Amino acid sequence: MLAVLCPPRSPSGAWTVQLAKDDASPLTPQRQVDTAEIADIEADLMPRWIFNDAPTAYGPLARAGIRLDRCHDIMMTERLLLPRQGRYGEPASALAIHARMHNQPAPPDPDPDVAAAAPELPTLFSTSNAAAARPVAGPEILWAAYLDQRSRAEHLASCEGVVADGIAIAPGALRLAIAADSACALIGVEMGHIGMPWRREIHEGILADRLGPRPAAGDRPAVMAALAIRINDAFGFAVNPDSAVDLRAAFRRIGFDLETTRAWVIRAIDHPAVPPVLAYKELSRLFSANGWNWLDEWVREGRFRAEYLPAGVVTGRWATRGGGALQIPKIVRGAVRAEAGYTLVVADAAQLEPRILVAVSGDPALEALAGADDLYEALAQVGFSNDRDKAKLAMLGAMYGQTSGAVGLLLPTLRRRYPAAMEFVEHAARRGEQGKLVQSVLGRTCNPPSLGWTQLIEAGAGPEASPGQESRGRQVARDRGRFTRNFVIQASAADWAGVWLSSLRQSLREVPGADIVFVQHDELMVHTPLEYAGRVAEMTTAAADLACRLVFPGGRARTPVRPVIVDNYAEAK
């Protein structure tokens, strides 16, 4: 059963719902309902809810304590379909789809940053005077957009089962991608509402130990201020360690001409200023990214609540808007602590991307090693003289396009032993260098090259091209090749992770009080009552196995998931 859902057009208004059969033929007329009635429809019928986007439609329901089982998120789906049709980056809302159906200019998607900063401004569903002249995405428009998407998806799915750009797109792959992305849209809203358990007093203790007391606004913490004095003394003149320009000038003044002030570059210099500069840079990152101001803004009522963007980047990986939720440094992970009576189940997919390469390339020699707990160790034993570090460098170089220097010397071993895997990534790189597109295992399509890229390529290939233009053309081609080389791996890994997450979410409905509270590419965290921890851990591995069977039919995929049960996040690594 299907149910189209339109949020209220004013803060005090009612929701609009219409039920339909699976073929989208109406079952009921449109009617106005409140959140209690939506909860009743969910409990009694468990329909697939159709809405324009999860934050607008599901966000208020999640905040009201209502959980929806499944949905079709029109904007998430459109961002999958448009690139497959060569229309990357076009507006994705139901209003835009409706406009394209009628050969009209598509209105731009709502600006989420503006809406978040000023929620009182007119939104997509607003009926304020400022928005009165604009079309509203009511039920008719949502139904039309959904049916159009279903028709286009069926057409694209008819091409599945063949090899596309080097990847065999399995039958049903696109439908699986749409379902997983829509489920992840629900998970993203739920995570933002529930939040990650975060002990402010522990975090403040970490800051005090490392930085000293909280400074006045505009001042450096005491430890950083002391380091700044040491830096000045070591150089013999005044330096602002917060300024990369000042640091470069300071090192140049003492005889070291640096292109960057990154820590790995500075660490190679033999000078008394280096230790305090490195210490200052580390503490500066903590102070600016996760200091007291961050706590004030993002941690409320014992929870860290970020705004998650499932499939927020072109590869399908998640992103966030503010808060740095996907970049929680190890130093503060001890503050992520389960509440009384609860524990954390943290699960990650070991060495996910190289294992994805095994599955998508079908290389038989590499597949023979895929069952090993440590794939890099297995590689080392058969080709790198038991040197795990060299095996890992070679594999990462192959997937990320590092083909020169010390890594480049290791690649011939991979080419000789695993020709199918190497040809797979090199084929993707060649397509990128030629300006062509590549796809993930579920058909997620990369973005096309920009006009500027094309102009640089054409300028470098012209009969009157200067040596500089030729060099620049080759460089931008190689850069895009590195992007597409990794896209087919990283996007396929994101495909698998999305199905893993959505499968686990379904299983967790059986566990009272268990919630997914964190996602980071190939890692997730569940906050669960203590008595269910073992069961939840088993669910994470079962969902991973199911994802392998669904995303990689044929049994080639091996993605071992290692759940651990911990009191705080720092204990998980």
Side-chain angles (χ1 to χ4, degrees):
M1 179 176 293
L2 303 173
V4 72
L5 179 65
C6 295
R9 298 181 180 180
S10 67
S12 59
W15 297 72
T16 303
V17 169
Q18 185 178 24
L19 303 180
K21 300 178 183 177
D22 288 339
D23 64 2
S25 58
L27 272 175
T28 65
Q30 300 174 24
R31 62 191 180 98
Q32 304 290 298
V33 296
D34 57 21
T35 55
E37 291 174 281
I38 293 173
D40 289 341
I41 294 171
E42 171 66 20
D44 296 340
L45 304 175
M46 292 187 68
R48 183 178 301 279
W49 297 91
I50 297 168
F51 42 70
N52 187 67
D53 68 293
T56 302
Y58 187 39
L61 300 178
R63 291 190 289 273
I66 298 172
R67 288 288 188 96
L68 303 183
D69 181 64
R70 55 188 183 147
C71 81
H72 176 91
D73 187 308
I74 286 174
M75 292 187 70
M76 290 282 285
T77 300
E78 193 68 1
R79 290 178 182 132
L80 273 173
L81 296 180
L82 285 173
R84 289 283 295 269
Q85 298 177 292
R87 308 179 72 168
Y88 181 86
E90 293 188 19
S93 72
L95 289 171
I97 296 169
H98 190 262
R100 285 192 288 266
M101 290 170 60
H102 293 84
N103 297 315
Q104 297 172 351
D109 292 335
D111 186 335
D113 291 321
V114 172
E120 74 280 359
L121 294 177
T123 66
L124 178 62
F125 299 95
S126 173
T127 55
S128 69
N129 292 335
R134 294 187 298 178
V136 174
E140 297 84 359
I141 289 178
L142 294 186
W143 279 126
Y146 169 73
L147 292 172
D148 178 69
Q149 286 185 331
R150 193 168 73 174
S151 174
R152 287 186 287 138
E154 288 174 354
H155 171 72
L156 291 169
S158 67
C159 302
E160 293 173 350
V162 299
V163 174
D165 301 335
I167 291 185
I169 307 297
L174 183 58
R175 288 188 290 274
L176 180 59
I178 291 171
D181 272 12
S182 291
C184 285
L186 297 178
I187 295 170
V189 169
E190 290 163 359
M191 285 172 50
H193 165 64
I194 296 165
M196 185 188 306
W198 201 286
R199 295 276 292 277
R200 183 185 180 98
E201 71 278 11
I202 294 176
H203 191 140
E204 288 178 330
I206 293 169
L207 295 177
D209 288 344
R210 294 299 184 107
L211 298 169
R214 182 172 186 170
D219 290 347
R220 290 185 176 117
V223 176
M224 289 174 61
L227 284 169
I229 294 172
R230 284 181 56 196
I231 291 168
N232 289 344
D233 291 343
F235 278 116
F237 48 83
V239 179
N240 177 7
D242 293 310
S243 167
V245 173
D246 259 27
L247 277 177
R248 285 184 62 192
F251 278 110
R252 188 180 302 114
R253 188 169 167 181
I254 61 173
F256 300 96
D257 193 4
L258 308 181
E259 292 185 0
T260 176
T261 58
R262 292 184 181 275
W264 63 271
V265 173
I266 295 175
R267 194 173 290 116
I269 298 172
D270 182 13
H271 189 271
V274 168
V277 166
L278 291 175
Y280 187 95
K281 288 172 72 68
E282 180 181 355
L283 293 181
S284 179
R285 284 193 297 271
L286 173 62
F287 178 53
S288 60
N290 297 99
W292 291 274
N293 290 340
W294 181 89
L295 269 173
D296 292 342
E297 183 173 1
W298 293 102
V299 177
R300 301 181 302 278
E301 299 175 347
R303 294 288 175 124
F304 167 40
R305 295 179 173 87
E307 183 179 357
Y308 295 92
L309 306 175
V313 296
V314 65
T315 59
R317 280 187 163 188
W318 286 43
T320 59
R321 184 175 290 111
L326 301 185
Q327 298 175 335
I328 299 174
K330 292 181 180 180
I331 194 172
V332 299
R333 289 180 182 178
V336 182
R337 195 166 294 249
E339 295 178 351
Y342 284 73
T343 192
L344 303 175
V345 176
V346 181
D348 71 278
Q351 301 163 351
L352 178 59
E353 291 192 359
R355 295 180 188 279
I356 293 296
L357 175 58
V358 176
V360 295
S361 69
D363 189 299
L366 198 55
E367 187 177 341
L369 306 178
D373 288 340
D374 188 335
L375 182 56
Y376 297 132
E377 184 65 36
L379 282 170
Q381 291 174 2
V382 297
F384 295 91
S385 303
N386 287 322
D387 191 327
R388 185 184 183 278
D389 289 341
K390 286 184 178 179
K392 182 176 180 179
L393 281 174
M395 180 59 76
L396 294 178
M399 293 189 297
Y400 285 89
Q402 179 61 44
T403 57
S404 61
V407 176
L409 297 176
L410 302 172
L411 294 182
T413 300
L414 289 182
R415 292 192 182 98
R416 184 174 63 255
R417 292 184 173 274
Y418 313 107
M422 292 298 289
E423 173 55 24
F424 178 84
V425 291
E426 287 170 2
H427 171 76
R430 289 194 298 270
R431 288 189 64 84
E433 291 171 2
Q434 296 164 5
K436 297 179 180 179
L437 305 181
V438 294
Q439 294 181 348
S440 72
V441 69
L442 294 187
R444 195 180 305 274
T445 305
C446 75
N447 54 303
S450 67
L451 176 60
W453 183 92
T454 303
Q455 290 172 339
L456 287 170
I457 293 293
E458 291 175 349
E464 299 180 358
S466 68
Q469 289 174 315
E470 291 178 357
S471 176
R472 180 59 175 154
R474 288 193 297 269
Q475 180 62 51
V476 297
R478 285 194 297 269
D479 289 346
R480 180 166 174 80
R482 280 192 290 271
F483 162 69
T484 53
R485 173 192 292 264
N486 184 244
F487 180 92
V488 294
I489 305 300
Q490 194 176 104
S492 295
D495 289 345
W496 177 88
V499 177
W500 178 39
L501 275 169
S502 55
S503 300
L504 178 61
R505 178 182 183 267
Q506 284 296 109
S507 300
L508 288 177
R509 291 181 68 90
E510 304 171 6
V511 183
D515 297 301
I516 299 173
V517 294
F518 179 61
V519 171
Q520 185 183 36
H521 309 320
D522 57 359
E523 181 182 53
L524 59 81
M525 179 191 298
V526 180
H527 188 243
T528 178
L530 278 165
E531 62 266 32
Y532 301 124
R535 184 179 175 190
V536 168
E538 292 174 356
M539 286 178 171
T540 66
T541 58
D545 291 341
L546 177 59
C548 285
R549 295 194 299 272
L550 293 175
V551 178
F552 302 105
R556 289 198 305 267
R558 299 286 188 276
T559 53
V561 164
R562 302 167 178 172
V564 293
I565 300 171
V566 295
D567 179 60
N568 70 80
Y569 188 26
E571 297 173 352
K573 294 289 186 179

